[in-house]
Amino acid sequence: MVLKKRASAVLAAVILAATGTAAFATENLSFVSWGGTTQDAQKQAWAEPFSEASGIRVVQDGPTDYGKLKAMVESGNVQWDVVDVEADFALRAAAEGLLEPLDFNVIQRDKIDPRFVSDHGVGSFYFSFVLGYNQGKLGGNAPQDWTALFDTTKYPGKRALYKWPSPGVLELALLADGVPADKLYPLDLDRAFKKLDTIKQDIVWWGGGAQSQQLLASGEASLGQFWNGRVYALQQDGAPVGVTWKQNLVMADFLVIPKGAKNKDAAMKFLANASSAKGQAEFANLTAYAPVNVDSVSQLKGDLAPNLPTAYAKDQITLDYAYWAKNGQAIAARWNEWLVK
């Protein structure tokens, strides 16, 4: 109890130091995310201690809906204050004037990995797409990199891939086809789709984390592209799954404030807390997603740290959110045409 009170006092001091003003017990803000265990962890790591220290009540809402966010801003009736979005959407929405610029007098920008902060968004967390495999299906024949997905002789069975036209699948196809990591962009779409054609009949698509875990743990898919946190969770449950971190593909979520948010000042304070070293470390310890604050790593649980992207920085390839923000909609049109062929 003493430690809990001391931690709350420290958090309150951080918030007050960051804002220079006392918070008011009557303030509220709405927080929107994707639901499930991720939002539960965001509530536990960020919202509850923030409310306790500041007196600002955080109302959970969701799921994130880009169309709804845009409609709110354009109608001038913004009901959301902080929204967890994908990194490429954060950049595109900023370019379209849908977001508030962040106040870096409140948010400590110099402590955030530069890959995960912009004028209108700060990282929520980051993760890697990794190559996961079912050890029961592949035995001791452990795959080493993305080329294994396209070698159906050496690595038989279905391949599980993320079904949405977003950063990840096209890049791994190009890497497997021999494109150097520093030459991925602009994406050679013809080459990427031609490579995917070679295994199209062997692909099973997943659209959410639970589905991806079921495919991998059951062996319905022998190997595939997965969020690192989902593979870690399976391993913790004793599932016979392995992972390779070579060419792990880094993607991130960002926290943004919609233009015209009614509780903008409270939202800035919330973002300062969520992106702090403590806030990021506590969220990472709950989820196995990596912290964006460079001072958080030393606060990670000892048994967790080796299972996060932060331990494999030399093998990382950071996906180009800016490229996808500009070209994502055109790629999506071609992606959908390819899927139905």
Side-chain angles (χ1 to χ4, degrees), residues 48-323:
E48 291 176 347
F50 174 77
S51 294
E52 183 177 352
S54 68
I56 299 172
R57 190 166 71 98
V58 179
V59 179
Q60 301 291 320
D61 200 354
T64 297
D65 183 322
Y66 298 149
K68 189 172 181 178
L69 186 155
K70 184 175 183 179
M72 283 183 180
V73 174
E74 291 179 346
S75 68
N77 183 26
V78 180
Q79 301 298 314
W80 292 347
D81 297 307
V82 177
V83 186
D84 188 304
V85 302
E86 293 161 296
D88 53 319
F89 177 80
L91 297 180
R92 186 168 74 249
E96 294 176 359
L98 300 176
L99 304 178
E100 293 282 355
L102 300 189
D103 183 351
F104 291 107
N105 292 313
V106 177
I107 301 162
Q108 210 170 356
R109 184 170 191 161
D110 63 340
K111 294 297 183 182
I112 309 300
D113 183 323
R115 294 177 294 174
F116 309 122
V117 62
S118 69
D119 290 344
H120 295 80
V122 64
S124 175
F125 58 87
Y126 80 93
F127 58 89
S128 288
F129 284 117
V130 293
L131 179 60
Y133 56 95
N134 185 295
Q135 294 164 322
K137 287 290 183 179
L138 298 184
N141 191 23
Q144 300 301 312
D145 57 37
W146 297 115
T147 61
L149 288 175
F150 299 87
D151 186 346
T152 55
T153 301
K154 187 174 182 180
Y155 304 102
K158 293 293 185 181
R159 282 82 172 108
L161 295 179
Y162 193 38
K163 73 176 183 180
W164 302 113
S166 62
V169 176
L170 296 173
E171 284 89 341
L172 70 83
L174 290 171
L175 289 167
D177 205 40
V179 176
D182 62 352
K183 304 295 184 185
L184 277 176
Y185 299 98
L187 295 175
D188 184 338
L189 297 177
D190 290 342
R191 185 171 177 176
F193 281 111
K194 184 177 180 181
K195 186 68 174 177
L196 289 170
D197 279 340
T198 64
I199 58 167
K200 192 172 183 180
Q201 63 183 0
D202 302 302
I203 297 173
V204 286
W205 300 101
W206 57 267
Q211 184 185 14
S212 74
Q213 289 176 303
Q214 188 277 326
L215 290 172
L216 182 59
S218 68
E220 183 176 347
S222 297
L223 67 172
Q225 167 205 22
F226 302 96
W227 294 322
N228 70 280
R230 293 291 181 165
V231 176
Y232 174 74
L234 288 176
Q235 292 174 323
Q236 294 304 296
D237 289 341
V241 300
V243 61
T244 176
W245 288 89
K246 188 175 180 180
Q247 297 179 328
N248 69 91
L249 303 175
V250 171
M251 183 58 179
D253 271 20
F254 274 39
L255 299 173
V256 300
I257 301 173
K259 190 77 172 179
K262 293 181 173 62
N263 302 293
K264 184 176 71 173
D265 291 344
M268 295 290 178
K269 298 172 189 175
F270 181 84
L271 262 59
N273 173 58
S275 61
S276 69
K278 181 177 173 60
Q280 283 290 298
E282 292 198 347
F283 179 75
N285 285 330
L286 290 170
T287 61
Y289 289 126
V292 302
N293 191 302
V294 295
D295 289 342
S296 297
V297 175
S298 62
Q299 301 181 39
L300 298 177
K301 293 178 180 176
D303 60 342
L304 176 63
N307 297 288
L308 294 186
T310 45
Y312 302 92
K314 291 182 180 178
D315 291 314
Q316 288 179 0
I317 298 171
T318 302
L319 300 170
D320 190 335
Y321 321 136
Y323 171 85

Side-chain angles (χ1 to χ4, degrees), residues 25-36:
T26 56
E27 286 185 279
N28 295 318
L29 68 85
S30 64
F31 174 75
V32 177
S33 189
W34 302 93

Side-chain angles (χ1 to χ4, degrees), residues 1-10 52 278:
M1 180 60 76
V2 172
L3 290 176
K4 183 177 181 181
K5 288 182 177 178
R6 186 175 297 165
S8 297
V10 169
E52 183 177 352
K278 181 177 173 60

